[in-house]
Amino acid sequence: MIMKNKAEEAAKQILSAFESPESLPGPIARVIVNRRDGSPCRKWSWRNQLIVAINGYSEARGFRQWDKVERRVKKGEKSIRILSPLSKSIKDKNDEDRIMVYGFRGTPVFGIEQTEGKPITGCDREVLAWLNDLPLREVADAWGLSVEAYNGSGANYAGVYRHDQSIALGVKDLSTWCHELVHAADHRNGKLQGSSKPSQEIVAQLGSSVILTILGFKHDADLGRCWSYIQQFAGESTDKALKKCGEVLDRTCDAVALILDEAERLSLEPAANSERGETNETI
């Protein structure tokens, strides 16, 4: 109950700030993830890179592309499909040749973890370090969620949660990260349903700000964007948006408490194991 009470206290402070939205700071500028490791998939569309990321892979290639770097797809691995354009040459009204895209086909590719062979060099250490250092990353790991990044330039989504499988991020932004983690907690609480719905998006965005406020990342809580986002899903009037927040307040606090309780449990595990004499050392 301690974490639930902390979540409720922080949420009420945030809702109080929302009562005068004109006094909220402006949204923080997001830093787009732009991976620079030379992998062929970095040249793919953001949609295809997102497909790779939500499947839990840092990079992916086709059979021949893996052959070129002396890696082989492991026996029994199933491909994921990206969308490749179908095009043809046509004559325009000036009788000049131009390329027209008339459709797409699914192209099979495999993630690096599905292959074996010569080590790949040139990984994007900066992005990997950022992903590993995300606050509460251990909670996602404990819940079996992979966390990957995709190039967010031009993307329609800053982040995506795939049920019980992964979180993909297209921006270096703690608010977006916590938004997707709250979706995961909401799902574990049995409240998340299907595709994007106003209530679950309000839960995720408000929950994100609550978490970051509790952890001391008040600047990253990004109340200006949080309010704009909630208004987008709740309606234009302040009263209507605040009412919607109130309707999902308990659900939001339950999701936040689940995350913080899990983080606390994980932080106590090493101490508990030590008291029982459990170590990873071999004699």
Side-chain angles (χ1 to χ4, degrees), residues 82-122:
I82 61 171
L83 297 175
S84 298
L86 297 170
S87 60
K88 63 181 179 180
S89 178
I90 63 170
K91 296 286 187 182
D92 63 16
K93 60 182 180 180
N94 297 320
D95 202 34
E96 295 179 355
D97 291 328
R98 69 179 183 89
I99 302 298
M100 182 189 77
V101 175
Y102 62 89
F104 293 86
R105 62 182 173 84
T107 299
V109 297
F110 296 85
I112 187 171
E113 291 81 359
Q114 296 177 286
T115 67
E116 57 190 2
K118 188 176 178 180
I120 295 291
T121 57

Side-chain angles (χ1 to χ4, degrees), residues 48 51 79-83 106-109:
N48 283 336
I51 289 171
S79 67
I80 58 177
R81 298 270 171 168
I82 61 171
L83 297 175
T107 299
V109 297

Side-chain angles (χ1 to χ4, degrees), residues 33-77:
V33 172
N34 185 13
R35 308 193 75 162
R36 303 173 186 276
D37 56 13
S39 170
C41 73
R42 306 298 175 232
K43 298 178 182 178
W44 297 349
S45 70
W46 72 265
R47 289 181 180 82
N48 283 336
Q49 292 186 59
L50 175 58
I51 289 171
V52 172
I54 63 174
N55 277 279
Y57 303 124
S58 56
E59 72 163 293
R61 309 184 190 193
F63 269 112
R64 292 181 182 177
Q65 288 175 316
W66 285 123
D67 282 341
K68 287 180 180 178
V69 292
E70 299 180 45
R71 291 186 70 84
R72 302 289 181 273
V73 176
K74 298 174 186 176
K75 187 176 180 180
E77 292 287 351

Side-chain angles (χ1 to χ4, degrees), residues 7-279:
E8 288 178 347
E9 182 181 343
K12 287 175 182 176
Q13 290 176 0
I14 291 170
L15 292 183
S16 178
F18 287 167
E19 289 176 359
S20 302
E22 65 278 357
S23 65
L24 292 174
I28 300 169
R30 283 173 168 162
V31 178
I32 301 297
V33 172
N34 185 13
R35 308 193 75 162
R36 303 173 186 276
D37 56 13
S39 170
C41 73
R42 306 298 175 232
K43 298 178 182 178
W44 297 349
S45 70
W46 72 265
R47 289 181 180 82
N48 283 336
Q49 292 186 59
L50 175 58
I51 289 171
V52 172
I54 63 174
N55 277 279
Y57 303 124
S58 56
E59 72 163 293
R61 309 184 190 193
F63 269 112
R64 292 181 182 177
Q65 288 175 316
W66 285 123
D67 282 341
K68 287 180 180 178
V69 292
E70 299 180 45
R71 291 186 70 84
R72 302 289 181 273
V73 176
K74 298 174 186 176
K75 187 176 180 180
E77 292 287 351
K78 293 183 179 179
S79 67
I80 58 177
R81 298 270 171 168
I82 61 171
L83 297 175
S84 298
L86 297 170
S87 60
K88 63 181 179 180
S89 178
I90 63 170
K91 296 286 187 182
D92 63 16
K93 60 182 180 180
N94 297 320
D95 202 34
E96 295 179 355
D97 291 328
R98 69 179 183 89
I99 302 298
M100 182 189 77
V101 175
Y102 62 89
F104 293 86
R105 62 182 173 84
T107 299
V109 297
F110 296 85
I112 187 171
E113 291 81 359
Q114 296 177 286
T115 67
E116 57 190 2
K118 188 176 178 180
I120 295 291
T121 57
C123 66
D124 194 333
R125 298 185 186 280
E126 181 185 344
V127 172
L128 292 178
W130 171 70
L131 290 173
N132 289 333
D133 290 342
L134 287 168
L136 302 171
R137 169 65 194 264
E138 69 277 11
V139 174
D141 293 338
W143 290 349
L145 300 173
S146 66
V147 181
E148 288 294 341
Y150 61 96
N151 286 359
S153 180
N156 291 341
Y157 310 105
V160 175
Y161 164 65
R162 187 180 186 192
H163 291 193
D164 282 335
Q165 296 185 53
S166 62
I167 290 174
L169 301 170
V171 291
K172 292 183 180 180
D173 176 61
L174 293 187
S175 178
T176 299
W177 154 243
C178 289
H179 177 109
E180 303 307 334
L181 191 59
V182 172
H183 271 321
D186 199 33
H187 185 211
R188 291 177 76 86
N189 282 335
K191 302 294 178 66
L192 194 68
Q193 300 174 350
S195 57
S196 179
K197 298 180 185 299
S199 59
Q200 63 197 39
E201 293 304 323
I202 292 172
V203 166
Q205 195 66 20
L206 179 58
S208 171
S209 290
V210 170
I211 287 174
L212 291 171
T213 298
I214 291 173
L215 295 182
F217 296 98
K218 290 189 177 180
H219 175 74
D220 297 281
D222 202 356
L223 296 188
R225 176 172 284 118
C226 183
W227 176 251
S228 298
Y229 191 95
I230 288 171
Q231 269 197 311
Q232 172 188 334
F233 282 94
E236 294 183 357
S237 76
T238 297
D239 288 344
K240 187 173 181 180
L242 286 171
K243 181 181 178 182
K244 283 290 183 183
C245 287
E247 289 173 357
V248 298
L249 185 60
D250 198 53
R251 175 177 165 183
T252 301
C253 292
D254 283 341
V256 170
L258 182 64
I259 293 168
L260 298 180
D261 282 340
E262 181 72 358
E264 185 175 42
R265 182 188 70 78
L266 292 169
S267 70
L268 294 174
E269 270 190 354
N273 291 340
S274 178
E275 288 177 5
R276 290 196 298 266
E278 296 177 11
T279 71

